[in-house]
Amino acid sequence: MRRLRRDRGQSLLEMAIAMPVLLAMLVGICEFGIAWNRKQVLTNAAREAARLAVLPNSQLTDVEATVDSYLGDAGIAAADVNRTYSGIPGTTGQIVTVTLDMNHQLAFVGPVMDLIGGSTVPGAVTLTTTVNMRHE
């Protein structure tokens, strides 16, 4: 079957229209994955801190050092994370609460959506996690 002369640039035009959309989706998926990873790191750091805090004779400085270590291993600056501790030190049966939160900047999705025309997608999202455990 012969191609007609007027169909010569069709594939190129279709690719030019579809490629930016596909690339934006790919980058958005990657950004979501990074945010999800940071949320999991925060959750694990809070869980490890709470586990240490419920042990007998635990001190707040040890709990903070555990959080700092866990965040540092994941490449998150400890100064970027807000922390709230309660029930440390405590008595048997008392609840320990560890809350960590941080702002995660969306490097691509937020600014691009703003360029397209005012969206509800923020430039940053707040990642928050809270862990509760009972003292031993």
Side-chain angles (χ1 to χ4, degrees), residues 33-71:
I34 291 168
W36 185 271
N37 180 310
R38 287 185 173 223
K39 170 72 172 172
Q40 293 304 311
V41 168
L42 284 180
T43 300
N44 289 337
R47 187 178 303 122
E48 291 298 322
R51 281 183 185 151
L52 179 63
V54 299
L55 296 176
N57 302 321
S58 64
Q59 298 297 318
L60 181 59
T61 55
D62 297 332
V63 173
E64 288 177 333
T66 299
V67 171
D68 289 343
S69 174
Y70 204 93
L71 294 174

mmCIF file of all heavy atoms in Angstrom, residues 33-71:
data_model
loop_
_atom_site.group_PDB
_atom_site.id
_atom_site.type_symbol
_atom_site.label_atom_id
_atom_site.label_comp_id
_atom_site.label_asym_id
_atom_site.label_seq_id
_atom_site.Cartn_x
_atom_site.Cartn_y
_atom_site.Cartn_z
ATOM 1 N N GLY A 33 6.803 8.726 43.782
ATOM 2 C CA GLY A 33 7.622 7.676 44.394
ATOM 3 C C GLY A 33 8.605 8.227 45.408
ATOM 4 O O GLY A 33 8.815 7.641 46.479
ATOM 5 N N ILE A 34 9.210 9.366 45.111
ATOM 6 C CA ILE A 34 10.148 9.984 46.047
ATOM 7 C C ILE A 34 9.412 10.437 47.306
ATOM 8 O O ILE A 34 9.891 10.240 48.426
ATOM 9 C CB ILE A 34 10.886 11.159 45.369
ATOM 10 C CG1 ILE A 34 11.834 10.618 44.287
ATOM 11 C CG2 ILE A 34 11.652 11.990 46.392
ATOM 12 C CD1 ILE A 34 12.393 11.684 43.375
ATOM 13 N N ALA A 35 8.248 11.058 47.132
ATOM 14 C CA ALA A 35 7.457 11.503 48.286
ATOM 15 C C ALA A 35 7.033 10.298 49.134
ATOM 16 O O ALA A 35 7.079 10.352 50.369
ATOM 17 C CB ALA A 35 6.238 12.300 47.829
ATOM 18 N N TRP A 36 6.620 9.226 48.481
ATOM 19 C CA TRP A 36 6.208 8.012 49.200
ATOM 20 C C TRP A 36 7.389 7.442 49.993
ATOM 21 O O TRP A 36 7.242 7.030 51.143
ATOM 22 C CB TRP A 36 5.683 6.976 48.205
ATOM 23 C CG TRP A 36 5.137 5.751 48.850
ATOM 24 C CD1 TRP A 36 5.815 4.623 49.181
ATOM 25 C CD2 TRP A 36 3.797 5.544 49.273
ATOM 26 N NE1 TRP A 36 4.977 3.718 49.765
ATOM 27 C CE2 TRP A 36 3.723 4.262 49.829
ATOM 28 C CE3 TRP A 36 2.649 6.312 49.209
ATOM 29 C CZ2 TRP A 36 2.560 3.740 50.334
ATOM 30 C CZ3 TRP A 36 1.478 5.779 49.714
ATOM 31 C CH2 TRP A 36 1.446 4.514 50.268
ATOM 32 N N ASN A 37 8.578 7.436 49.395
ATOM 33 C CA ASN A 37 9.775 6.936 50.070
ATOM 34 C C ASN A 37 10.064 7.768 51.310
ATOM 35 O O ASN A 37 10.344 7.218 52.381
ATOM 36 C CB ASN A 37 10.963 6.987 49.110
ATOM 37 C CG ASN A 37 12.239 6.473 49.741
ATOM 38 O OD1 ASN A 37 12.610 6.892 50.831
ATOM 39 N ND2 ASN A 37 12.923 5.603 49.043
ATOM 40 N N ARG A 38 9.995 9.078 51.196
ATOM 41 C CA ARG A 38 10.248 9.942 52.358
ATOM 42 C C ARG A 38 9.213 9.716 53.456
ATOM 43 O O ARG A 38 9.546 9.742 54.633
ATOM 44 C CB ARG A 38 10.283 11.401 51.944
ATOM 45 C CG ARG A 38 11.535 11.723 51.180
ATOM 46 C CD ARG A 38 11.642 13.178 50.857
ATOM 47 N NE ARG A 38 12.934 13.407 50.270
ATOM 48 C CZ ARG A 38 13.707 14.435 50.569
ATOM 49 N NH1 ARG A 38 13.285 15.338 51.419
ATOM 50 N NH2 ARG A 38 14.875 14.564 49.998
ATOM 51 N N LYS A 39 7.978 9.511 53.072
ATOM 52 C CA LYS A 39 6.928 9.226 54.057
ATOM 53 C C LYS A 39 7.241 7.923 54.801
ATOM 54 O O LYS A 39 7.082 7.832 56.024
ATOM 55 C CB LYS A 39 5.570 9.142 53.348
ATOM 56 C CG LYS A 39 4.435 8.621 54.181
ATOM 57 C CD LYS A 39 3.966 9.586 55.219
ATOM 58 C CE LYS A 39 2.691 9.034 55.854
ATOM 59 N NZ LYS A 39 2.260 9.795 56.975
ATOM 60 N N GLN A 40 7.700 6.915 54.070
ATOM 61 C CA GLN A 40 8.056 5.645 54.702
ATOM 62 C C GLN A 40 9.256 5.790 55.629
ATOM 63 O O GLN A 40 9.306 5.171 56.692
ATOM 64 C CB GLN A 40 8.327 4.575 53.634
ATOM 65 C CG GLN A 40 7.108 4.180 52.847
ATOM 66 C CD GLN A 40 5.984 3.702 53.739
ATOM 67 O OE1 GLN A 40 6.176 2.868 54.603
ATOM 68 N NE2 GLN A 40 4.811 4.247 53.536
ATOM 69 N N VAL A 41 10.231 6.605 55.235
ATOM 70 C CA VAL A 41 11.386 6.852 56.102
ATOM 71 C C VAL A 41 10.938 7.525 57.394
ATOM 72 O O VAL A 41 11.378 7.145 58.486
ATOM 73 C CB VAL A 41 12.448 7.699 55.366
ATOM 74 C CG1 VAL A 41 13.501 8.215 56.330
ATOM 75 C CG2 VAL A 41 13.100 6.884 54.261
ATOM 76 N N LEU A 42 10.056 8.530 57.273
ATOM 77 C CA LEU A 42 9.540 9.189 58.479
ATOM 78 C C LEU A 42 8.811 8.199 59.383
ATOM 79 O O LEU A 42 8.992 8.197 60.606
ATOM 80 C CB LEU A 42 8.593 10.323 58.104
ATOM 81 C CG LEU A 42 9.211 11.614 57.586
ATOM 82 C CD1 LEU A 42 8.114 12.615 57.265
ATOM 83 C CD2 LEU A 42 10.182 12.193 58.570
ATOM 84 N N THR A 43 7.983 7.356 58.785
ATOM 85 C CA THR A 43 7.232 6.374 59.565
ATOM 86 C C THR A 43 8.170 5.401 60.269
ATOM 87 O O THR A 43 7.995 5.106 61.459
ATOM 88 C CB THR A 43 6.250 5.604 58.662
ATOM 89 O OG1 THR A 43 5.350 6.546 58.071
ATOM 90 C CG2 THR A 43 5.473 4.568 59.435
ATOM 91 N N ASN A 44 9.174 4.912 59.561
ATOM 92 C CA ASN A 44 10.113 3.968 60.171
ATOM 93 C C ASN A 44 10.949 4.633 61.260
ATOM 94 O O ASN A 44 11.225 4.016 62.293
ATOM 95 C CB ASN A 44 11.004 3.349 59.102
ATOM 96 C CG ASN A 44 10.248 2.391 58.220
ATOM 97 O OD1 ASN A 44 9.211 1.860 58.601
ATOM 98 N ND2 ASN A 44 10.744 2.176 57.018
ATOM 99 N N ALA A 45 11.359 5.881 61.046
ATOM 100 C CA ALA A 45 12.125 6.596 62.066
ATOM 101 C C ALA A 45 11.286 6.794 63.319
ATOM 102 O O ALA A 45 11.768 6.598 64.446
ATOM 103 C CB ALA A 45 12.607 7.940 61.522
ATOM 104 N N ALA A 46 10.026 7.160 63.153
ATOM 105 C CA ALA A 46 9.133 7.341 64.303
ATOM 106 C C ALA A 46 8.899 6.016 65.019
ATOM 107 O O ALA A 46 8.863 5.960 66.258
ATOM 108 C CB ALA A 46 7.804 7.943 63.852
ATOM 109 N N ARG A 47 8.749 4.938 64.263
ATOM 110 C CA ARG A 47 8.530 3.626 64.867
ATOM 111 C C ARG A 47 9.749 3.184 65.679
ATOM 112 O O ARG A 47 9.626 2.698 66.803
ATOM 113 C CB ARG A 47 8.216 2.604 63.772
ATOM 114 C CG ARG A 47 7.812 1.252 64.316
ATOM 115 C CD ARG A 47 7.461 0.262 63.213
ATOM 116 N NE ARG A 47 6.415 0.760 62.354
ATOM 117 C CZ ARG A 47 6.530 0.920 61.034
ATOM 118 N NH1 ARG A 47 7.666 0.610 60.423
ATOM 119 N NH2 ARG A 47 5.530 1.372 60.318
ATOM 120 N N GLU A 48 10.940 3.357 65.107
ATOM 121 C CA GLU A 48 12.160 2.981 65.830
ATOM 122 C C GLU A 48 12.339 3.827 67.085
ATOM 123 O O GLU A 48 12.748 3.326 68.128
ATOM 124 C CB GLU A 48 13.382 3.112 64.915
ATOM 125 C CG GLU A 48 13.430 2.102 63.801
ATOM 126 C CD GLU A 48 13.514 0.668 64.303
ATOM 127 O OE1 GLU A 48 14.214 0.419 65.308
ATOM 128 O OE2 GLU A 48 12.875 -0.207 63.704
ATOM 129 N N ALA A 49 12.020 5.114 66.989
ATOM 130 C CA ALA A 49 12.126 5.992 68.155
ATOM 131 C C ALA A 49 11.140 5.576 69.236
ATOM 132 O O ALA A 49 11.481 5.549 70.424
ATOM 133 C CB ALA A 49 11.879 7.439 67.734
ATOM 134 N N ALA A 50 9.927 5.246 68.844
ATOM 135 C CA ALA A 50 8.926 4.817 69.825
ATOM 136 C C ALA A 50 9.320 3.491 70.469
ATOM 137 O O ALA A 50 9.126 3.301 71.669
ATOM 138 C CB ALA A 50 7.560 4.704 69.157
ATOM 139 N N ARG A 51 9.886 2.580 69.694
ATOM 140 C CA ARG A 51 10.329 1.299 70.260
ATOM 141 C C ARG A 51 11.381 1.525 71.332
ATOM 142 O O ARG A 51 11.384 0.872 72.366
ATOM 143 C CB ARG A 51 10.909 0.404 69.163
ATOM 144 C CG ARG A 51 9.880 -0.275 68.335
ATOM 145 C CD ARG A 51 10.523 -1.206 67.328
ATOM 146 N NE ARG A 51 9.516 -1.764 66.452
ATOM 147 C CZ ARG A 51 9.723 -2.141 65.211
ATOM 148 N NH1 ARG A 51 10.927 -2.022 64.687
ATOM 149 N NH2 ARG A 51 8.763 -2.645 64.495
ATOM 150 N N LEU A 52 12.314 2.433 71.046
ATOM 151 C CA LEU A 52 13.346 2.724 72.034
ATOM 152 C C LEU A 52 12.753 3.444 73.239
ATOM 153 O O LEU A 52 13.123 3.176 74.384
ATOM 154 C CB LEU A 52 14.447 3.585 71.401
ATOM 155 C CG LEU A 52 15.583 4.001 72.321
ATOM 156 C CD1 LEU A 52 16.348 2.774 72.813
ATOM 157 C CD2 LEU A 52 16.509 4.950 71.615
ATOM 158 N N ALA A 53 11.814 4.335 73.007
ATOM 159 C CA ALA A 53 11.237 5.144 74.089
ATOM 160 C C ALA A 53 10.437 4.319 75.089
ATOM 161 O O ALA A 53 10.332 4.702 76.250
ATOM 162 C CB ALA A 53 10.353 6.240 73.495
ATOM 163 N N VAL A 54 9.849 3.214 74.669
ATOM 164 C CA VAL A 54 9.031 2.422 75.591
ATOM 165 C C VAL A 54 9.852 1.484 76.468
ATOM 166 O O VAL A 54 9.316 0.885 77.390
ATOM 167 C CB VAL A 54 7.934 1.607 74.850
ATOM 168 C CG1 VAL A 54 6.996 2.538 74.121
ATOM 169 C CG2 VAL A 54 8.538 0.572 73.925
ATOM 170 N N LEU A 55 11.128 1.381 76.201
ATOM 171 C CA LEU A 55 11.981 0.534 77.033
ATOM 172 C C LEU A 55 12.224 1.195 78.383
ATOM 173 O O LEU A 55 12.244 2.422 78.488
ATOM 174 C CB LEU A 55 13.318 0.281 76.333
ATOM 175 C CG LEU A 55 13.245 -0.508 75.030
ATOM 176 C CD1 LEU A 55 14.623 -0.591 74.389
ATOM 177 C CD2 LEU A 55 12.679 -1.897 75.271
ATOM 178 N N PRO A 56 12.408 0.384 79.418
ATOM 179 C CA PRO A 56 12.704 0.974 80.739
ATOM 180 C C PRO A 56 13.993 1.790 80.686
ATOM 181 O O PRO A 56 14.939 1.448 79.981
ATOM 182 C CB PRO A 56 12.874 -0.253 81.642
ATOM 183 C CG PRO A 56 12.196 -1.369 80.931
ATOM 184 C CD PRO A 56 12.308 -1.060 79.467
ATOM 185 N N ASN A 57 14.021 2.892 81.411
ATOM 186 C CA ASN A 57 15.194 3.767 81.543
ATOM 187 C C ASN A 57 15.589 4.459 80.232
ATOM 188 O O ASN A 57 16.739 4.849 80.060
ATOM 189 C CB ASN A 57 16.401 3.008 82.097
ATOM 190 C CG ASN A 57 16.107 2.393 83.442
ATOM 191 O OD1 ASN A 57 15.434 3.006 84.266
ATOM 192 N ND2 ASN A 57 16.580 1.183 83.659
ATOM 193 N N SER A 58 14.678 4.606 79.299
ATOM 194 C CA SER A 58 14.999 5.311 78.066
ATOM 195 C C SER A 58 14.973 6.817 78.309
ATOM 196 O O SER A 58 14.231 7.310 79.146
ATOM 197 C CB SER A 58 14.011 4.938 76.959
ATOM 198 O OG SER A 58 12.714 5.356 77.301
ATOM 199 N N GLN A 59 15.801 7.527 77.567
ATOM 200 C CA GLN A 59 15.914 8.976 77.706
ATOM 201 C C GLN A 59 15.573 9.648 76.374
ATOM 202 O O GLN A 59 15.770 9.071 75.304
ATOM 203 C CB GLN A 59 17.333 9.364 78.128
ATOM 204 C CG GLN A 59 17.744 8.803 79.470
ATOM 205 C CD GLN A 59 16.877 9.335 80.596
ATOM 206 O OE1 GLN A 59 16.540 10.510 80.648
ATOM 207 N NE2 GLN A 59 16.480 8.440 81.499
ATOM 208 N N LEU A 60 15.106 10.886 76.467
ATOM 209 C CA LEU A 60 14.728 11.627 75.267
ATOM 210 C C LEU A 60 15.919 11.831 74.336
ATOM 211 O O LEU A 60 15.773 11.765 73.116
ATOM 212 C CB LEU A 60 14.118 12.976 75.658
ATOM 213 C CG LEU A 60 13.640 13.863 74.512
ATOM 214 C CD1 LEU A 60 12.573 13.145 73.691
ATOM 215 C CD2 LEU A 60 13.104 15.172 75.043
ATOM 216 N N THR A 61 17.109 12.029 74.897
ATOM 217 C CA THR A 61 18.285 12.239 74.046
ATOM 218 C C THR A 61 18.589 11.009 73.193
ATOM 219 O O THR A 61 18.992 11.135 72.036
ATOM 220 C CB THR A 61 19.517 12.604 74.893
ATOM 221 O OG1 THR A 61 19.712 11.593 75.888
ATOM 222 C CG2 THR A 61 19.347 13.962 75.545
ATOM 223 N N ASP A 62 18.375 9.814 73.757
ATOM 224 C CA ASP A 62 18.595 8.580 72.997
ATOM 225 C C ASP A 62 17.565 8.448 71.869
ATOM 226 O O ASP A 62 17.885 8.009 70.768
ATOM 227 C CB ASP A 62 18.506 7.357 73.910
ATOM 228 C CG ASP A 62 19.575 7.353 74.991
ATOM 229 O OD1 ASP A 62 20.657 7.947 74.752
ATOM 230 O OD2 ASP A 62 19.328 6.783 76.063
ATOM 231 N N VAL A 63 16.338 8.823 72.168
ATOM 232 C CA VAL A 63 15.267 8.746 71.163
ATOM 233 C C VAL A 63 15.555 9.715 70.021
ATOM 234 O O VAL A 63 15.439 9.367 68.843
ATOM 235 C CB VAL A 63 13.899 9.040 71.817
ATOM 236 C CG1 VAL A 63 12.804 9.137 70.777
ATOM 237 C CG2 VAL A 63 13.565 7.974 72.850
ATOM 238 N N GLU A 64 15.973 10.935 70.351
ATOM 239 C CA GLU A 64 16.297 11.921 69.321
ATOM 240 C C GLU A 64 17.484 11.467 68.479
ATOM 241 O O GLU A 64 17.505 11.673 67.260
ATOM 242 C CB GLU A 64 16.577 13.278 69.958
ATOM 243 C CG GLU A 64 15.323 13.941 70.490
ATOM 244 C CD GLU A 64 15.616 15.255 71.181
ATOM 245 O OE1 GLU A 64 16.739 15.441 71.704
ATOM 246 O OE2 GLU A 64 14.708 16.103 71.197
ATOM 247 N N ALA A 65 18.473 10.859 69.112
ATOM 248 C CA ALA A 65 19.635 10.359 68.376
ATOM 249 C C ALA A 65 19.227 9.248 67.405
ATOM 250 O O ALA A 65 19.761 9.159 66.290
ATOM 251 C CB ALA A 65 20.700 9.853 69.344
ATOM 252 N N THR A 66 18.271 8.427 67.812
ATOM 253 C CA THR A 66 17.782 7.361 66.926
ATOM 254 C C THR A 66 17.102 7.955 65.695
ATOM 255 O O THR A 66 17.337 7.508 64.571
ATOM 256 C CB THR A 66 16.800 6.445 67.686
ATOM 257 O OG1 THR A 66 17.480 5.846 68.771
ATOM 258 C CG2 THR A 66 16.228 5.375 66.782
ATOM 259 N N VAL A 67 16.272 8.968 65.905
ATOM 260 C CA VAL A 67 15.603 9.625 64.777
ATOM 261 C C VAL A 67 16.633 10.264 63.854
ATOM 262 O O VAL A 67 16.576 10.108 62.631
ATOM 263 C CB VAL A 67 14.576 10.674 65.272
ATOM 264 C CG1 VAL A 67 14.044 11.504 64.117
ATOM 265 C CG2 VAL A 67 13.439 9.993 66.004
ATOM 266 N N ASP A 68 17.597 10.989 64.437
ATOM 267 C CA ASP A 68 18.634 11.641 63.630
ATOM 268 C C ASP A 68 19.413 10.631 62.803
ATOM 269 O O ASP A 68 19.699 10.855 61.627
ATOM 270 C CB ASP A 68 19.602 12.418 64.523
ATOM 271 C CG ASP A 68 18.968 13.654 65.126
ATOM 272 O OD1 ASP A 68 17.911 14.098 64.620
ATOM 273 O OD2 ASP A 68 19.536 14.181 66.101
ATOM 274 N N SER A 69 19.761 9.516 63.416
ATOM 275 C CA SER A 69 20.519 8.479 62.717
ATOM 276 C C SER A 69 19.722 7.893 61.552
ATOM 277 O O SER A 69 20.239 7.726 60.449
ATOM 278 C CB SER A 69 20.909 7.375 63.697
ATOM 279 O OG SER A 69 21.506 6.303 63.029
ATOM 280 N N TYR A 70 18.458 7.591 61.808
ATOM 281 C CA TYR A 70 17.615 6.985 60.768
ATOM 282 C C TYR A 70 17.417 7.950 59.598
ATOM 283 O O TYR A 70 17.500 7.565 58.446
ATOM 284 C CB TYR A 70 16.279 6.573 61.370
ATOM 285 C CG TYR A 70 15.606 5.472 60.604
ATOM 286 C CD1 TYR A 70 15.787 4.148 60.963
ATOM 287 C CD2 TYR A 70 14.812 5.744 59.503
ATOM 288 C CE1 TYR A 70 15.185 3.130 60.254
ATOM 289 C CE2 TYR A 70 14.214 4.738 58.789
ATOM 290 C CZ TYR A 70 14.398 3.437 59.164
ATOM 291 O OH TYR A 70 13.818 2.432 58.451
ATOM 292 N N LEU A 71 17.169 9.219 59.919
ATOM 293 C CA LEU A 71 16.977 10.207 58.860
ATOM 294 C C LEU A 71 18.269 10.431 58.085
ATOM 295 O O LEU A 71 18.259 10.562 56.862
ATOM 296 C CB LEU A 71 16.490 11.535 59.450
ATOM 297 C CG LEU A 71 15.108 11.515 60.089
ATOM 298 C CD1 LEU A 71 14.817 12.849 60.748
ATOM 299 C CD2 LEU A 71 14.039 11.167 59.075
#
